[in-house]
Amino acid sequence: LVFFSVISSHIHTSSGLGAKDHYKVLVLGGGSGGITMAARMKRKVGAQNVAVVEPSEVHYYQPIWTLVGAGAKSVASSGRPTASVIPSGVTWVKSKAAEFDPKNNTVHTDAGKKISYDYLIVALGLELHYEKIKGLPEGFEHPKIGSNYSVKTVEKTWNALKNFKEGNALFTFPNTPVKCAGAPQKIMYLSDAFLRKTGKRSKANIIYNTPSPKLFGVKKYADALWEIVKKRDLNINLRHNLIEVRADKQEAVFENLDKPGETKVYKYEMIHVTPPMGPPAVLKGSLLDDEAGWLDVNKNTLQHKTYANVFGIGDCTNLPTSKTAAAVAAQSAVLDRNISRILKKQTPDKIYDGYTSCPLVTSYNTVILAEFDYDGQPLETFPVDQSKESRVMYHMKADFMPLLYWHGLLKGFWGGPGPYRTIMHLGMK
């Protein structure tokens, strides 16, 4: 019996085998938002009425890549076959969404298939644009350069760090929206810790160049990070944007955003590049995007502003909050409730407060757990001051969060810490 159920669930999740042309709920994207919503919708409408459109064979838990780049975790531990995370019985359409036709409730795939839906959940994530920096991505063929944002380049970060001799260690942030806005500086703190541990710190000049006018968007945590920066002798240059990498010469070129036309060349012994990012190409210029190309949703209900049977979750949306897996978790609970109400012909009543979280890894055993809302106000789960470096929070990030991700979020059971926050604070705000 077990054997037959495995076979039949495999048939459901292979491309096109047993795949229909119409689904009650169609989910675009098999990342964290898409898989959690597929699991939740399966419980509402039945597995046979849900499909996920996703071309990738492997699903990655990306938050752990910060620790992979610092040599603390293996890249292999971050990935699992997509087939293993698609909820059993849900159809996996193994292709890419190529075109939207929301007026006719239809999506066209790149395999030439038309799929119609009653409800559409867009969870397409965002796209990395290394090519917008002159000299990349081809520069990654050289040593001493890495990026924790791609499975292809994350181990290159660790190679650059462990082979560091002396000189500048450069860390960059792009002039675009990004996912996990803390990650570009987490690798700087970890590199500092590694160089101290290996006795090379005195030979290193650590530099973080960001186009932003601030170190971090939320003042409470920014203040704590500035303290760490001073204590550890890290150099922060605000309003500095990376425009070119000359990997053959180990040089990086930055523009000064406060003095247009002014550029500066930095030599490096190691560089970690955070690429410019943008909305999925398929969204840009479609009937579903806003003027910047992101999915245009109501920031409270996550329902599309024009098409009432279209919803969005995660990095592809124009929600004015930080793009993280923690935000996806909180959004999934809101979306679950609101779609359930719409299925019963009721009005959506659950409101997303913008909750997002960023465990700011500050060393190999400490984390500052930033949690905040749309207004950039701290929204902390634990009854302690989370702007203080904590060992417990490090273990939560490195060991507990991956378990919660694979077994909680992707199964549609984790909707963020909202309910627990109330208990932890005994009802206090």
Side-chain angles (χ1 to χ4, degrees):
L1 189 66
V2 170
F3 174 74
F4 282 112
S5 71
V6 168
I7 291 291
S8 76
S9 89
H10 181 73
I11 288 172
H12 271 293
T13 58
S14 56
S15 59
L17 274 180
K20 307 179 296 189
D21 297 326
H22 179 86
Y23 294 90
K24 193 167 182 75
V25 179
L26 182 62
V27 179
L28 301 184
S32 45
I35 298 296
T36 188
M37 288 316 298
R40 287 171 177 271
M41 293 299 104
K42 169 185 167 176
R43 295 200 285 271
K44 295 282 186 293
V45 301
Q48 72 283 7
N49 296 312
V50 181
V52 176
V53 179
E54 170 56 55
S56 309
E57 287 279 1
V58 185
H59 177 107
Y60 290 102
Y61 176 60
Q62 295 175 32
I64 211 74
W65 287 348
T66 284
L67 299 178
V68 175
K73 293 277 180 183
S74 74
V75 75
S77 73
S78 69
R80 295 192 181 178
T82 300
S84 72
V85 299
I86 301 250
S88 65
V90 166
T91 302
W92 175 18
V93 179
K94 211 170 112 194
S95 39
K96 257 177 128 157
E99 195 188 325
F100 295 104
D101 182 2
K103 290 179 177 167
N104 294 305
N105 301 324
T106 308
V107 170
H108 299 239
T109 72
D110 63 351
K113 191 173 167 64
K114 273 189 195 178
I115 308 173
S116 59
Y117 56 81
D118 293 342
Y119 301 94
L120 180 68
I121 298 175
V122 185
L124 289 167
L126 49 64
E127 290 181 1
L128 307 178
H129 293 292
Y130 290 103
E131 79 286 350
K132 292 198 170 164
I133 297 165
K134 194 178 170 191
L136 295 183
E138 59 278 14
F140 286 112
E141 288 161 24
H142 291 267
K144 303 184 186 294
I145 173 171
S147 175
N148 292 352
Y149 275 83
S150 161
V151 72
K152 296 191 188 93
T153 55
V154 62
E155 291 171 300
K156 293 178 189 288
T157 305
W158 173 229
N159 283 333
L161 178 56
K162 69 181 178 198
N163 295 320
F164 187 97
K165 305 266 188 303
E166 64 178 301
N168 289 338
L170 269 180
F171 301 86
T172 76
F173 191 95
N175 199 13
T176 63
V178 296
K179 52 180 167 182
C180 194
Q185 56 184 293
K186 296 177 200 182
I187 188 60
M188 166 181 65
Y189 302 125
L190 283 161
S191 298
D192 167 71
F194 177 78
L195 295 172
R196 288 177 191 276
K197 199 165 69 174
T198 50
K200 298 182 199 168
R201 182 62 180 89
S202 59
K203 295 182 176 159
N205 183 30
I206 296 180
I207 303 164
Y208 179 73
N209 286 356
T210 172
S212 173
K214 309 174 183 172
L215 183 55
F216 194 72
V218 179
K219 186 179 185 307
K220 174 177 179 172
Y221 305 116
D223 290 348
L225 293 169
W226 277 115
E227 288 302 313
I228 292 170
V229 161
K230 286 186 201 119
K231 196 168 72 191
R232 299 198 197 160
D233 192 24
L234 310 172
N235 301 291
I236 311 291
N237 296 308
L238 304 174
R239 308 291 289 147
H240 277 54
N241 183 40
L242 178 68
I243 53 172
E244 183 182 357
V245 176
R246 302 166 185 159
D248 54 335
K249 297 183 182 150
Q250 289 165 234
E251 290 176 352
V253 185
F254 293 83
E255 60 179 347
N256 183 337
L257 295 180
D258 287 333
K259 297 176 184 164
E262 187 183 293
T263 61
K264 187 171 177 186
V265 180
Y266 288 76
K267 293 286 285 181
Y268 64 80
E269 166 68 2
M270 159 188 185
I271 185 169
H272 176 269
V273 177
T274 304
M277 300 176 209
V282 66
L283 268 178
K284 291 197 325 214
S286 73
L287 291 171
L288 297 179
D289 72 336
D290 67 3
E291 62 289 344
W294 303 98
L295 188 75
D296 198 15
V297 294
N298 178 306
K299 67 180 265 209
N300 298 320
T301 63
L302 313 185
Q303 188 173 27
H304 194 270
K305 287 182 184 168
T306 310
Y307 299 96
N309 63 335
V310 176
F311 304 85
I313 185 169
D315 298 353
C316 68
T317 63
N318 61 356
L319 298 168
T321 194
S322 192
K323 298 177 186 295
T324 65
V328 165
Q331 290 161 24
S332 73
V334 173
L335 208 43
D336 191 350
R337 165 78 181 176
N338 287 342
I339 293 176
S340 302
R341 291 201 39 105
I342 288 166
L343 285 167
K344 296 179 199 146
K345 308 277 183 278
Q346 296 167 337
T347 321
D349 65 351
K350 195 163 169 72
I351 287 182
Y352 175 51
D353 56 10
Y355 172 83
T356 189
S357 165
C358 187
L360 292 151
V361 183
T362 53
S363 76
Y364 284 90
N365 58 9
T366 53
V367 154
I368 287 174
L369 184 60
E371 296 181 289
F372 48 98
D373 63 13
Y374 275 139
D375 302 322
Q377 292 303 309
L379 203 56
E380 296 184 345
T381 301
F382 300 96
V384 295
D385 180 359
Q386 290 178 201
S387 68
K388 301 267 188 288
E389 289 181 277
S390 157
R391 284 172 182 256
V392 172
M393 302 297 180
Y394 177 85
H395 289 295
M396 202 167 81
K397 154 81 182 167
D399 306 315
F400 176 66
M401 294 285 201
L403 291 171
L404 184 63
Y405 182 84
W406 296 112
H407 303 289
L409 181 64
L410 294 193
K411 302 279 193 278
F413 294 124
W414 175 246
Y420 305 95
R421 188 182 309 122
T422 317
I423 298 164
M424 290 276 193
H425 293 265
L426 303 173
M428 294 184 296
K429 178 79 177 100

